[in-house]
């Protein structure tokens, strides 16, 4: 508002909203106050249940939603409301306001024009996330991260053709944390770049070590890379340096990128992928089927493999046998991928029945608990299971 119509118009809007809230809420005895900027607080007293407070929140939202007419402009305004219901006794005003503010941002994150109720467990989870994000740089410096490896198995003969590197965090207080606990935080804070580089170096060193032990078995090392990494103009040079330092051949390295990060890509990400492919590195689309799922994009991308999202495996372990619809979807995806000369890997394979069904559908490779969990390098069995 301030940037487009000017600060005077913004002030008029705030006054209009304040007036509406006062007219709608103060007759019922609620205190309405502006805390600053575009935030208001409503103090609701003498309530029997949280539902009573929610009804006040809905009244406030309804008051704000009505179009505002200012200087010949029609403005459609919405709000987000954080609802906190606490007994007065033992309640600290500052903590109450902090809880309300936190909950307000939950409502905004969930789509705006709505209310959210304070949840102590969710708040504790948020606090834990913020704390972990602040600890990431020091954890990397203290070498608290380590890499485990999960076998990639060729479905035709159950031979291990490589491994996927999966990073873990040995947190001094919380124990071992999986990537689902910290990778998103690393991406948000920028720590993903140094962390991803460290994982790449560790994985390539291990890949070189295994190839030295098994010179006649060309094992593939697959490593996940983040959007921030492929958007970095220096990433290709960084990969070249890692390969030169570790001695791993480019064709022995597979980099996994998420579907959403490459579908419709242009500019730096696309240039990076082409440069990596020209270098000889394999490119795989990870978790395929969770995003755009548009195979037409793949014709223009230097992609070598698709890794089907684990959720596709659910239909193959149905109690009454493999789900026919899921089988047909998988068959179509595998067939189209093969027409584009892409190999297909199924993730999350947990049973022999799933493996058999995938093999019959023409899927090339698989990974999952049926073939082995992610384990330290010394525990990896470089042989498959039928």
């Amino acid at each position: 508002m301030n940037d487009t119509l000017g600060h005077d118009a913004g002030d008029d809007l705030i006054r209009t909203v304040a007036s509406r809230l006062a007219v709608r809420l103060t007759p019922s005895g609620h205190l309405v106050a502006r805390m600053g900027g575009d935030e208001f607080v409503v103090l609701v007293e003498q309530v029997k249940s949280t539902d009573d407070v929610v009804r006040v929140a809905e009244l406030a939202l309804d008051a704000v939603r009505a179009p505002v007419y200012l200087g010949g402009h029609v403005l459609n305004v919405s709000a987000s409301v954080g609802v906190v219901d606490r007994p007065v006794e033992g309640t600290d005003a500052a903590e109450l306001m902090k809880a309300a503010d936190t909950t307000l941002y939950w409502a905004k994150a969930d789509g705006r024009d709505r209310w959210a109720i304070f949840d102590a467990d969710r708040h504790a989870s948020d606090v834990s996330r913020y704390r972990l994000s602040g600890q990431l740089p020091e954890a990397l410096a203290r070498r608290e991260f380590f890499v485990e490896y999960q076998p990639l198995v060729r479905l035709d003969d159950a031979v291990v053709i490589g491994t996927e590197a999966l990073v873990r965090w040995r947190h001094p207080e919380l124990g071992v944390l999986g990537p689902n606990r910290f990778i998103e935080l690393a991406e948000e804070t920028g720590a993903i770049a140094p962390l991803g580089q460290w994982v790449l170096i560790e994985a390539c060193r291990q890949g070189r070590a295994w190839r030295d032990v098994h010179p006649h078995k060309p094992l593939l090392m697959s490593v996940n890379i983040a959007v921030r990494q492929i958007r970095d103009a220096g990433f290709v040079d960084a990969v070249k340096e890692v390969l030169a330092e570790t001695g791993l051949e480019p064709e022995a390295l597979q980099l996994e990128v998420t579907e959403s990060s490459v579908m419709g890509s242009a500019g730096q990400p696309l240039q990076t992928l082409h440069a990596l492919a020209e270098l000889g590195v394999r490119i795989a689309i990870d978790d395929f089927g969770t995003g755009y799922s548009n195979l037409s994009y793949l014709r223009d991308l230097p992609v070598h493999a698709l890794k089907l999202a684990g959720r596709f495996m659910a239909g193959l372990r149905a109690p009454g046998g493999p789900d026919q619809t899921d089988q047909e979807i998988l068959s179509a995806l595998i067939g189209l991928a093969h027409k584009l000369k892409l190999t297909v890997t199924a993730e999350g394979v947990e049973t022999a029945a799933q493996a058999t069904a995938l093999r019959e559908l023409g899927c090339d490779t698989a990974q999952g608990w049926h073939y082995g969990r992610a384990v330290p390098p010394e525990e990896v069995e470089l042989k498959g299971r039928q």
Side-chain angles (χ1 to χ4, degrees), residues 64-374:
V64 174
R65 286 189 190 111
V68 178
Y69 301 90
L70 287 177
H73 298 280
V74 180
L75 307 176
N76 293 306
V77 184
S78 66
S80 304
V81 182
V83 177
V84 182
D85 181 13
R86 287 185 179 175
V88 174
E89 185 177 353
T91 297
D92 178 87
E95 289 299 318
L96 180 64
M97 291 301 300
K98 186 187 299 183
D101 200 47
T102 296
T103 314
L104 180 152
Y105 281 98
W106 294 346
K108 292 181 71 171
D110 290 342
R112 302 173 183 263
D113 193 28
R114 66 189 63 209
W115 50 264
I117 297 178
F118 179 79
D119 181 276
D121 291 336
R122 182 175 178 180
H123 179 61
S125 176
D126 285 352
V127 170
S128 176
R129 278 173 52 83
Y130 290 133
R131 186 181 176 205
L132 285 177
S133 67
Q135 294 172 335
L136 279 167
E138 291 184 3
L140 189 58
R142 291 195 296 263
R143 302 186 66 82
E144 292 175 1
F145 294 98
F146 64 99
V147 181
E148 293 186 328
Y149 301 87
Q150 186 172 46
L152 293 168
V153 178
R154 188 166 57 215
L155 280 165
D156 280 347
D157 53 14
V159 170
V160 175
I161 56 123
T163 59
E164 179 181 355
L166 298 166
V167 65
R168 308 285 191 251
W169 182 357
R170 188 175 286 105
H171 194 280
E173 299 172 6
L174 303 176
V176 175
L177 305 179
N180 61 311
R181 291 286 301 275
F182 60 85
I183 288 297
E184 184 178 344
L185 294 176
E187 291 176 341
E188 292 173 359
T189 61
I192 192 65
L195 177 59
Q197 183 72 2
W198 178 83
V199 172
L200 182 63
I201 294 171
E202 289 294 305
C204 287
R205 282 176 179 164
Q206 185 58 57
R208 179 69 264 174
W210 275 330
R211 287 172 78 89
D212 289 341
V213 174
H214 304 278
H216 303 298
K217 192 171 186 177
L219 295 169
L220 184 69
M221 178 58 71
S222 197
V223 183
N224 294 280
I225 59 173
V227 177
R228 186 183 291 262
Q229 290 175 280
I230 61 173
R231 288 178 178 170
D232 183 352
F235 182 64
V236 176
D237 288 336
V239 172
K240 289 180 182 178
E241 290 176 10
V242 171
L243 293 174
E245 176 186 330
T246 61
L248 186 69
E249 301 89 341
E251 61 271 18
L253 175 63
Q254 175 172 277
L255 297 178
E256 299 185 19
V257 295
T258 60
E259 183 180 352
S260 60
S261 70
V262 297
M263 291 306 178
S265 285
Q268 188 60 55
L270 189 57
Q271 293 173 24
T272 297
L273 293 178
H274 276 291
L276 289 169
E278 290 171 3
L279 186 63
V281 174
R282 285 175 56 87
I283 306 296
I285 305 294
D286 192 20
D287 284 335
F288 188 80
T290 59
Y292 296 95
S293 301
N294 191 335
L295 284 165
S296 65
Y297 282 118
L298 300 178
R299 294 179 302 176
D300 304 317
L301 290 173
V303 174
H304 304 87
L306 297 183
K307 299 191 72 175
L308 300 176
R311 66 182 182 83
F312 284 114
M313 299 306 105
L316 299 182
R317 62 169 183 265
D323 181 86
Q324 186 64 34
T325 301
D326 283 350
Q327 282 189 306
E328 291 176 359
I329 293 173
L330 282 170
S331 178
L333 286 174
I334 293 168
L336 287 169
H338 285 168
K339 286 185 182 297
L340 293 170
K341 303 187 184 307
L342 306 175
T343 61
V344 182
T345 299
E347 297 181 288
V349 179
E350 298 179 356
T351 67
Q354 287 175 320
T356 299
L358 288 164
R359 185 164 53 245
E360 292 174 350
L361 289 171
C363 189
D364 303 292
T365 56
Q367 66 185 97
W369 292 355
H370 175 63
Y371 295 106
R373 297 172 183 262

